[in-house]
Amino acid sequence: MSYFLAYCKSHRGTVFTQYQMLRAERQLCDVSLIVDGNEFPAHKSLLACSSDYFRAMFKDHTKESKATIVHLKVISATGLQNILDFIYTSWLSLSLSTLEDTLEAASYLQVLGAIPLCSQFLINTCDLESCCFVVNIAFKFYLTDALTEAEKYIITNLWRLLQEDLDDTELLELNVKSMINIIKSNDIPRVSEKSLLTLVLNWLQYDRIRLGYAKVLFDNIRYGLLPLDTLRKLYTQTDVPLTASIKCMIIKAINYHSTPSKQPLLQDKFSTLRNQKEWIMLVGGTANDTFVENVLGFDVYSHKWRSVTNLHLKVQHHCTCVIGNFLYVLGGETPERAQYSTKDSSLCVTNIVYRYDPRFDQWLQVSGMLENRAQFSCCIIDKYIFAMGGRGDQQTLLSTVEVYDINRDTWTKCKDLPSKMHGHAGTVHSNIIYISGGKTDTQANSSKDVYSFNRLEGQWKKQASMSIARFGHQMATVKDAIFTFLGIYEPFSDIEKYDPKTNQWTRLRPLPFDRFSYGLVVVEQTVLLLGGKKWQDSQEVPTQNIVGYDTENDCWEEICSMAFPFSGLQCSVLQLSDVTESDEKCSKVHALKKVQ
């Protein structure tokens, strides 16, 4: 005997439609739900099928199972109306004005199918005007998805919300959990720490009951990012009581400001920028044969540009390095100091050292090097800056090495190089300095020599020579290998890799075309070469592209093109607070105007 199972797609919808018609005509309704004097006829069977609350209510042993009228006192008429419409039609009418009533009814009556719809509605309608309401409703009804999304929206757009008068904004009505999550966040763009502190103080004073949460909020303020006058006012204010531990953090931050030269050594969570990401700093050099004053930032992942700051001294043939997320710019040639010199020269070699703090967008002139230096190299070991060799006044070559102690803000002499040299390159591997190439006082041509310096031993040691003599080139350390890249006047475009363990050099895939006077920086395992010049028809021609060398796969790739030719620059990676897309566009335009 054979049989088959058939399914009618329209039957379920027809049943719901017929139930709705019966309710509208008040036919076969066996119960009336009364809320605030309003009567809602319904069918016990459908209510029990849609709600665990009604299923329990209408069991045989309850008095409501035989009652024809049931009074509901907790929920509102509007909420019940919306939930009954949902039960009978599967459609839920939602608006911000009725959402709370609807959620209360859905939660109380345990109509669970309606709650995710309310949550999605909150996510979809979250905007500047409603975000604070949304996050509070989501918190009240434990809508975790909506709460997470609404808090993310507020964090991203907090700078816009703070543009309004705090007395008139719903920010001060935020629930405790969301306020704590916001202040804990590392991803708040375009909001100063001072503005966050003001928000916390105003939020705590908006309802004095909240003062019990002062400690957890103050524990997440980054005091190192607050100006000195703000820290002093916070310490002496009496509106919000401060615990002893909070006062200690404020005093620590005041001391942090009192010794600015030591700040790179004092970095911790409380002086770390929020919403920060890596930007490649393009510092100094020339564009269109004009000295560049503007320091540009480049995001290698999004290919976006921004104007970061202006140099206090236009330079070329200088060095840069980063310690504690502070950018140091050392020495070089400058056209600015030459006007005060009695020598017949358009450029002047300087010993000046500036340090840039991205936290406060400020430059600080620290102690200058003992000697004026250009075309030298600098490296960092144990947060000490080593400046080595270079060209001094009147084109004299230097063999001297000096070390900058950040803690004391002083330069001291170190073991001299084996010979006077300039145009050499340097890098650090396992706390050992390596320098290569350059030109010496005894050689007119470029050198292949390589030396290493161990700070503990205090001596320079000769290592295996490069196979190519190089001058004005660059070195980079990636994992366990050292790479040397192109310099000036090289007949080929080969690069080499050095293994410090075996003291051996290996030739690698050459760059497609020659290049010199470029900026170099390492991002993850890729070495980027930015701008520079190349030889073409016996002339120096500026290049505008950025190329990357994949050290793992020994291959080159063109990343993008710069908007203008840039050469003689130095590059370092700095963590900056992120900006919005519109800010980046404005910064790029501003940067181009500065350069051009």
Side-chain angles (χ1 to χ4, degrees):
M1 181 176 177
S2 63
Y3 68 93
F4 70 94
L5 184 65
Y7 176 74
C8 177
K9 293 182 180 179
S10 62
H11 177 70
R12 182 182 299 178
T14 301
V15 171
F16 271 104
T17 301
Q18 293 300 321
Y19 255 119
Q20 174 66 357
M21 290 178 62
L22 291 174
R23 180 174 75 126
E25 297 172 358
R26 298 197 173 203
Q27 292 186 7
L28 301 179
C29 295
D30 50 3
V31 67
S32 289
L33 305 176
I34 307 297
V35 175
D36 296 333
N38 297 284
E39 181 181 353
F40 298 89
H43 301 85
K44 289 182 179 179
S45 58
L46 185 56
L47 294 179
C49 290
S50 305
S51 161
D52 290 342
Y53 176 86
F54 285 122
R55 181 188 292 271
M57 175 182 286
F58 296 140
K59 284 184 177 179
D60 292 339
H61 60 274
T62 63
K63 65 178 182 178
E64 287 87 354
S65 62
K66 298 179 176 58
T68 58
I69 296 176
V70 174
H71 291 268
L72 301 174
K73 298 182 179 180
V74 176
I75 60 179
S76 67
T78 299
L80 180 60
Q81 177 68 60
N82 287 341
I83 292 304
L84 286 177
D85 288 344
F86 174 72
I87 289 173
Y88 275 85
T89 68
S90 298
W91 289 93
L92 186 62
S93 176
L94 295 172
S95 68
L96 289 177
S97 60
T98 62
L99 184 67
E100 190 169 2
D101 289 336
T102 303
L103 274 167
E104 284 179 343
S107 301
Y108 182 74
L109 300 177
Q110 299 177 44
V111 183
L112 303 183
I115 294 176
L117 299 180
C118 294
S119 178
Q120 190 60 49
F121 172 76
L122 284 173
I123 294 173
N124 294 342
T125 57
C126 187
D127 57 21
L128 284 176
E129 293 184 359
S130 65
C131 58
C132 295
F133 170 79
V134 168
V135 80
N136 285 337
I137 291 295
F139 173 75
K140 179 178 179 180
F141 292 99
Y142 306 102
L143 307 178
T144 55
D145 290 344
L147 181 62
T148 299
E149 292 301 316
E151 286 179 353
K152 286 181 181 177
Y153 183 90
I154 291 177
I155 288 170
T156 302
N157 295 278
L158 186 60
W159 65 275
R160 288 190 174 98
L161 296 169
L162 289 173
Q163 286 179 344
E164 304 176 10
D165 186 349
L166 279 179
D167 292 334
D168 298 329
T169 182
E170 293 182 352
L171 275 175
L172 299 184
E173 297 178 357
L174 281 178
N175 63 83
V176 172
K177 181 178 182 297
S178 295
M179 177 57 70
I180 292 173
N181 287 340
I182 289 169
I183 301 303
K184 281 184 175 181
S185 176
N186 291 322
D187 303 315
I188 306 175
R190 299 188 61 186
V191 177
S192 68
E193 203 67 21
K194 183 178 179 180
S195 296
L196 285 179
L197 174 64
T198 301
L199 173 61
V200 167
L201 291 171
N202 289 342
W203 185 86
L204 289 170
Q205 294 176 76
Y206 187 75
D207 184 347
R208 303 295 290 184
I209 297 176
R210 298 173 177 175
L211 292 177
Y213 299 100
K215 185 180 186 305
V216 66
L217 289 171
F218 280 125
D219 279 343
N220 289 281
I221 292 294
R222 303 190 178 186
Y223 298 96
L225 303 181
L226 293 172
L228 186 58
D229 60 337
T230 301
L231 289 167
R232 288 170 175 162
K233 289 179 183 178
L234 176 62
Y235 191 86
T236 57
Q237 61 84 35
T238 57
D239 295 325
V240 177
L242 302 175
T243 63
S245 62
I246 299 301
K247 288 186 175 182
C248 285
M249 285 191 287
I250 296 173
I251 293 173
K252 181 180 177 182
I254 292 174
N255 293 334
Y256 171 85
H257 283 287
S258 65
T259 54
S261 63
K262 296 182 182 180
Q263 288 173 348
L265 304 178
L266 304 175
Q267 296 307 301
D268 57 18
K269 167 193 170 183
F270 298 102
S271 56
T272 301
L273 290 167
R274 299 178 191 260
N275 195 248
Q276 66 177 18
K277 63 186 297 187
E278 286 188 349
W279 287 82
I280 299 172
M281 299 292 101
L282 284 70
V283 184
T286 60
N288 298 321
D289 297 322
T290 302
F291 275 83
V292 177
E293 178 184 5
N294 197 224
V295 176
L296 302 182
F298 174 65
D299 180 1
V300 69
Y301 300 105
S302 65
H303 295 183
K304 292 179 179 177
W305 295 84
R306 63 188 282 190
S307 176
V308 179
T309 182
N310 288 334
L311 289 171
H312 277 228
L313 199 65
K314 299 175 184 177
V315 287
Q316 66 177 6
H317 300 314
H318 54 295
C319 286
T320 64
C321 60
V322 173
I323 299 179
N325 203 38
F326 288 81
L327 173 68
Y328 286 84
V329 181
L330 303 88
E333 285 182 331
T334 175
E336 297 181 18
R337 295 178 63 83
Q339 59 182 313
Y340 304 109
S341 175
T342 58
K343 302 165 188 173
D344 295 331
S345 174
S346 59
L347 298 175
C348 177
V349 179
T350 179
N351 69 333
I352 292 180
V353 180
Y354 283 104
R355 191 201 72 192
Y356 176 68
D357 180 3
R359 298 153 191 78
F360 295 95
D361 188 28
Q362 290 179 346
W363 286 94
L364 173 69
Q365 183 175 345
V366 298
S367 293
M369 295 181 291
L370 301 177
E371 299 196 56
N372 299 337
R373 298 180 189 270
Q375 290 183 293
F376 64 110
S377 64
C378 80
C379 294
I380 298 171
I381 296 182
D382 298 330
K383 296 187 177 180
Y384 289 88
I385 302 176
F386 286 73
M388 299 164 286
R391 177 168 47 80
D393 296 322
Q394 298 178 328
Q395 304 299 312
T396 56
L397 300 190
L398 304 173
S399 62
T400 56
V401 177
E402 51 185 301
V403 184
Y404 180 61
D405 184 342
I406 295 177
N407 192 50
R408 298 180 179 179
D409 189 27
T410 57
W411 290 87
T412 56
K413 287 189 175 183
C414 188
K415 179 67 175 179
D416 284 359
L417 296 170
S419 60
K420 297 179 180 179
M421 64 178 68
H422 74 300
H424 53 290
T427 190
V428 174
H429 179 276
S430 298
N431 269 357
I432 296 176
I433 295 174
Y434 290 84
I435 63 169
S436 64
K439 291 183 179 180
T440 68
D441 57 338
T442 59
Q443 288 180 300
N445 297 324
S446 304
S447 172
K448 298 180 181 180
D449 292 342
V450 177
Y451 296 93
S452 66
F453 179 79
N454 188 322
R455 184 165 175 255
L456 297 178
E457 298 175 359
Q459 296 293 329
W460 289 95
K461 292 183 179 180
K462 199 171 189 307
Q463 304 293 345
S465 298
M466 299 179 291
S467 62
I468 301 172
R470 301 184 189 273
F471 169 76
H473 58 298
Q474 299 264 28
M475 296 178 75
T477 300
V478 182
K479 287 191 170 180
D480 294 325
I482 295 173
F483 297 81
T484 59
F485 296 88
L486 311 182
I488 305 175
Y489 312 126
E490 293 187 15
F492 307 104
S493 299
D494 288 9
I495 63 174
E496 297 179 87
K497 179 173 74 173
Y498 176 70
D499 185 346
K501 293 181 180 178
T502 61
N503 193 28
Q504 290 182 340
W505 288 89
T506 306
R507 289 270 191 115
L508 301 171
R509 188 182 300 274
L511 188 66
F513 52 82
D514 68 315
R515 180 186 295 243
F516 58 93
S517 296
Y518 51 86
L520 181 143
V521 71
V522 177
V523 178
E524 295 181 355
Q525 297 180 44
T526 300
V527 182
L528 300 179
L529 277 60
L530 298 88
K533 295 181 179 180
K534 63 180 180 179
W535 289 104
Q536 184 174 313
D537 299 329
S538 300
Q539 290 185 334
E540 296 182 5
V541 178
T543 61
Q544 296 183 217
N545 64 338
I546 299 174
V547 295
Y549 175 69
D550 186 337
T551 57
E552 278 200 338
N553 301 308
D554 186 25
C555 62
W556 290 92
E557 177 187 6
E558 183 164 351
I559 306 298
C560 66
S561 180
M562 297 189 291
F564 48 86
F566 212 159
S567 62
L569 66 158
Q570 291 290 327
C571 296
S572 293
V573 174
L574 204 63
Q575 300 283 344
L576 302 178
S577 287
D578 203 4
V579 293
T580 63
E581 184 175 350
S582 59
D583 286 337
E584 287 170 354
K585 290 178 180 178
C586 292
S587 293
K588 183 175 180 180
V589 172
H590 175 69
L592 294 180
K593 288 180 178 178
K594 279 280 187 180
V595 171
Q596 295 172 350

